[in-house]
Amino acid sequence: MSDKWLEWAKQIQSIAQAGLTFTNDMYDKERYEQLRTLSIEIMNEYTALDFESIRDLFANETGYQTPKVDVRGVVFKDDRILMVREKHDDAWALPGGFCDIGESPRENVTKEIQEEAGFHVQPKKLLAVFDTNKHPHPPQPYQYYKLFIQCEIISGEASLGMETKGIDFFAEDNLPPLSLNRNTETQIQHLFEFLRNPENPTLFD
């Protein structure tokens, strides 16, 4: 039930944001502000974030709300997959992060791998586009589309970034504790299928 309440809260937030963007009526604006506050209270109840943090998340959100985009680099070496240990939660994830404005998915994933793991890579194939609502990620205020892009190392060596405290390659049957906001075990298992069957078509929700 808690996950369902969270999804309702996200929908209320989306409706409130769109209403605040397009309404010219001062009374409607007040009602949409009330809806936004209600959605924040619900999210505060069902996520680990406090009320002020959630309010700050949405303070600068304007326009029609859409899912946010996250890229993850998929790098295989000797039948193992590259992962970095995040300082934020002391858990492991595929290198990546939010897509920056002005850069393509290819440019974003290349930058993220270099910054977090030290390797210079060449993106090769979009393996999957996963919707966080369709996978067992922990509850969070936003909905994300996660782009998993296979890359090949062309130069460089492992080196830590500002947000990472570990770098290693892991076998499918020996994965470390995962940063579940960023990637799940089943998602990584799907990615290993591409290692065994490179011609498989791109997966998407």
Side-chain angles (χ1 to χ4, degrees), residues 44-64:
N44 171 232
E45 183 71 22
Y46 291 105
T47 70
L49 296 175
D50 59 59
F51 184 92
E52 295 299 325
S53 297
I54 298 171
R55 186 178 65 181
D56 290 344
L57 280 177
F58 297 123
N60 296 317
E61 291 282 319
T62 59
Y64 190 84

Side-chain angles (χ1 to χ4, degrees), residues 74 76 81 83 94 127-128 130 135-136 148 171-175 178 183-197 200 203:
V74 182
F76 293 113
I81 197 167
M83 304 195 81
L94 304 176
L127 301 185
F130 290 139
H135 297 264
F148 292 84
E172 183 178 9
D173 60 357
N174 189 35
L175 295 177
L178 298 178
N183 42 219
T184 69
E185 183 174 358
T186 53
Q187 288 170 346
I188 293 173
Q189 289 170 347
H190 284 309
L191 301 175
F192 270 98
E193 283 297 322
F194 286 96
L195 179 62
R196 290 184 286 270
N197 301 287
N200 279 358
L203 299 173

Side-chain angles (χ1 to χ4, degrees), residues 6 10 45 86 99 104 106 116 122 142 150 175 198:
L6 182 58
K10 291 179 185 178
E45 183 71 22
E86 300 278 349
C99 285
S104 69
R106 174 187 294 271
E116 295 189 355
Q122 177 66 45
Y142 291 124
Q150 186 170 2
L175 295 177

Side-chain angles (χ1 to χ4, degrees), residues 129-144:
V129 180
F130 290 139
D131 176 354
T132 52
N133 285 352
K134 306 294 184 181
H135 297 264
H137 295 281
Q140 48 194 323
Y142 291 124
Q143 177 185 8
Y144 298 90

Side-chain angles (χ1 to χ4, degrees), residues 63-83:
Y64 190 84
Q65 192 174 70
T66 64
K68 299 193 177 291
V69 182
D70 174 69
V71 292
R72 293 287 150 185
V74 182
V75 180
F76 293 113
K77 179 181 178 183
D78 300 327
D79 296 333
R80 297 179 298 160
I81 197 167
L82 173 66
M83 304 195 81

